[in-house]
Amino acid sequence: MARLRSDFWVSAHLRRLGIEGIAAVQRRRGAAEAGAIFVKVDRLDGSADLYGPAPQSLVDTGSDDDRRFVALMSEASPADVEVRIGKELRFDDDLWLIEIDDRAGRHRLDLAE
């Protein structure tokens, strides 16, 4: 099965979050077909998390949903997360960035194990 385009995935994920009452915005638009997707979760208590694409070795290729994420930073300062995002942008300027504001840290991502 072909992988869902990044623009469709981001749009669907934002809609899902909105339906569940989780405040989220698309902060950066990347390459429509295959841009990497990163998700920043601001916990509104002075800490933030950052999630990014899981390495291919952790993704089950037999799965219908092959978009899996890993925690890149957990309970870091929002400023430190922004520094990391800047580094990712210098490496890949076609990335997508979703920002979520949620005290409980909800993101609704499929995490690789």
Side-chain angles (χ1 to χ4, degrees), residues 31-91:
E33 284 89 25
I37 300 167
F38 289 81
V39 178
K40 175 185 175 187
V41 180
D42 189 332
R43 293 176 172 265
L44 306 173
D45 64 357
S47 68
D49 306 322
L50 181 64
Y51 298 89
Q56 279 302 116
S57 61
L58 296 178
V59 175
D60 178 15
T61 56
S63 168
D64 286 340
D65 178 17
D66 60 347
R67 288 219 189 255
R68 299 267 188 239
F69 294 82
V70 293
L72 301 174
M73 300 179 80
S74 295
E75 298 184 23
S77 77
D80 289 343
V81 171
E82 289 299 321
V83 168
R84 175 68 184 267
I85 291 168
K87 289 178 183 177
E88 295 292 344
L89 279 167
R90 282 192 293 281
F91 178 73

